[in-house]
Amino acid sequence: MRWNLEQLEVFVAVAEGHSFSAVARRLGRVQSAVSTAVATLEDDLGVRLFERSSGRQPRLTDAGAALLEEARELLRQCERLEGRALGLAQGEEACLRLAQDEALPLPPVLDSLEGLARAFPGVEVQMTSGGQGVVARRLIERRADLGLLFHHEGMPAELERRRLGMVEMVMVCGAGHPLAQAGAVGRRELARHRQLLISLQDTQYPGNERISPSAWHADSFYSMAELLMRNLGWACLPRHVAQYPTYQGHLVELRSDWIAPPLPLEMVFRRDEALGPAAQWLATALTERLRVLKA
């Protein structure tokens, strides 16, 4: 390959300006330099790009028209390369890793990521989702930069926490469960039936209080919802999980004098690692969008 980017710039400029002289004036060159650049590019590519007639403006040949968009894309790619290099030189991350609890309300997260794509178009984003414990573990193992999870007291000391919104919890059971037709139920009635709880190790968080002597445990609210649809117990779920389209018509919200408190939502990150510009931007956007959640 003997042609260069400067020749491509001249080719595109002539194709868009339809005049060697006009392009020469815009680029601050003599007309002969512009003509020579185009002729050299034609020799290097082995095709004629323009039809030249005395006294007439240059007109793209069929080959020139076919190659014009290719040339434009190469120049756009160069601009992206230069912009990415500038961002990296200024401290922008090459990759931003976000870990989140799978039961998080997703629309505010997606809105924030959409904004991030506009603000930092060159940053690669890696998203991971998982059940209870996955988010904190990925941060501790330095496999994530930011984490979104539900508050619990057993947070590792290495992580900084930022309180965001509150997620409403509802008590539900399967449509075929005996409690579904019971009307208002109290703690004594709840204790007669199997309770589904989020798995926790040596910790507790609001809404996960054990009431029934019979209990099953899972590390995912969605796994719990699947068990509930099979009438295998009752549980407290985030309202947006209980109302997920897959579960509509299969889960019944229970009325009770025992009301699970709202579940706090938090952002976490390592205390010993400074967040880069993209991570800081995303943290601010997530804070603004998730703070509006109400119980």
Side-chain angles (χ1 to χ4, degrees):
M1 182 185 75
R2 297 181 298 276
W3 53 267
N4 56 50
L5 295 175
E6 183 178 355
Q7 293 169 346
L8 290 184
E9 290 174 345
V10 172
F11 165 44
V12 172
V14 172
E16 295 175 347
H18 306 295
S19 169
F20 286 102
S21 58
V23 171
R25 288 193 298 271
R26 182 163 67 84
L27 298 179
R29 302 178 186 179
V30 296
Q31 182 173 336
S32 60
V34 172
S35 300
T36 299
V38 172
T40 301
L41 179 62
E42 290 176 324
D43 290 340
D44 291 342
L45 294 176
V47 296
R48 289 189 62 81
L49 301 173
F50 295 99
E51 296 287 356
R52 300 170 180 82
S53 301
S54 178
R56 298 182 60 184
Q57 293 181 337
R59 183 172 58 85
L60 281 170
T61 63
D62 290 342
L67 293 174
L68 178 59
E69 186 54 36
E70 300 285 352
R72 284 172 173 154
E73 180 55 32
L74 278 172
L75 295 176
R76 286 193 289 263
Q77 184 61 39
C78 288
E79 291 176 352
R80 288 192 286 267
L81 175 64
E82 291 177 347
R84 189 72 181 104
L86 178 61
L88 291 171
Q90 295 174 344
E92 182 180 295
E93 306 94 318
C95 179
L96 175 56
R97 301 165 300 174
L98 175 66
Q100 63 178 30
D101 191 293
E102 66 172 0
L104 223 68
L106 196 54
V109 178
L110 296 178
D111 290 343
S112 299
L113 289 172
E114 187 177 356
L116 178 74
R118 292 191 295 268
F120 296 88
V123 172
E124 177 182 339
V125 174
Q126 295 180 1
M127 292 180 62
T128 55
S129 301
Q132 179 68 30
V134 171
V135 175
R137 184 164 61 250
R138 292 190 72 87
L139 285 161
I140 292 299
E141 295 172 353
R142 302 183 188 275
R143 293 188 293 140
D145 305 302
L146 278 178
L148 296 171
L149 45 68
F150 296 111
H151 168 82
H152 62 87
E153 297 301 329
M155 189 68 63
E158 299 95 323
L159 301 183
E160 191 75 20
R161 311 159 70 143
R162 180 184 299 175
R163 178 66 61 87
L164 300 175
M166 303 290 285
V167 175
E168 183 182 7
M169 302 292 287
V170 293
M171 187 184 303
V172 293
C173 67
H177 192 276
L179 289 175
Q181 307 299 326
V185 295
R187 291 175 67 100
R188 180 175 299 180
E189 180 65 19
L190 292 171
R192 295 192 183 103
H193 300 272
R194 182 186 298 113
Q195 182 180 4
L196 306 185
L197 295 164
I198 282 289
S199 303
L200 293 171
Q201 296 181 348
D202 302 323
T203 187
Q204 183 64 270
Y205 69 62
N208 209 47
E209 175 187 352
R210 181 164 179 169
I211 293 177
S212 173
S214 174
W216 283 9
H217 301 263
D219 66 353
S220 162
F221 282 118
Y222 286 101
S223 295
M224 289 169 61
E226 295 290 335
L227 294 172
L228 291 171
M229 285 205 303
R230 294 175 179 264
N231 304 308
L232 292 174
W234 64 270
C236 291
L237 299 181
R239 179 174 289 280
H240 67 273
V241 174
Q243 294 179 344
Y244 193 68
T246 301
Y247 309 138
Q248 289 182 6
H250 300 285
L251 298 182
V252 175
E253 183 175 345
L254 301 175
R255 293 182 292 114
S256 175
D257 54 2
W258 180 75
I259 302 176
L263 193 57
L265 183 61
E266 294 184 335
M267 177 187 300
V268 292
F269 46 89
R270 290 191 63 92
R271 190 175 290 109
D272 61 354
E273 291 184 359
L275 296 177
Q280 292 180 23
W281 190 98
L282 182 60
T284 299
L286 289 168
T287 299
E288 293 174 351
R289 286 174 171 83
L290 290 170
R291 184 179 291 157
V292 302
L293 294 174
K294 296 181 180 180

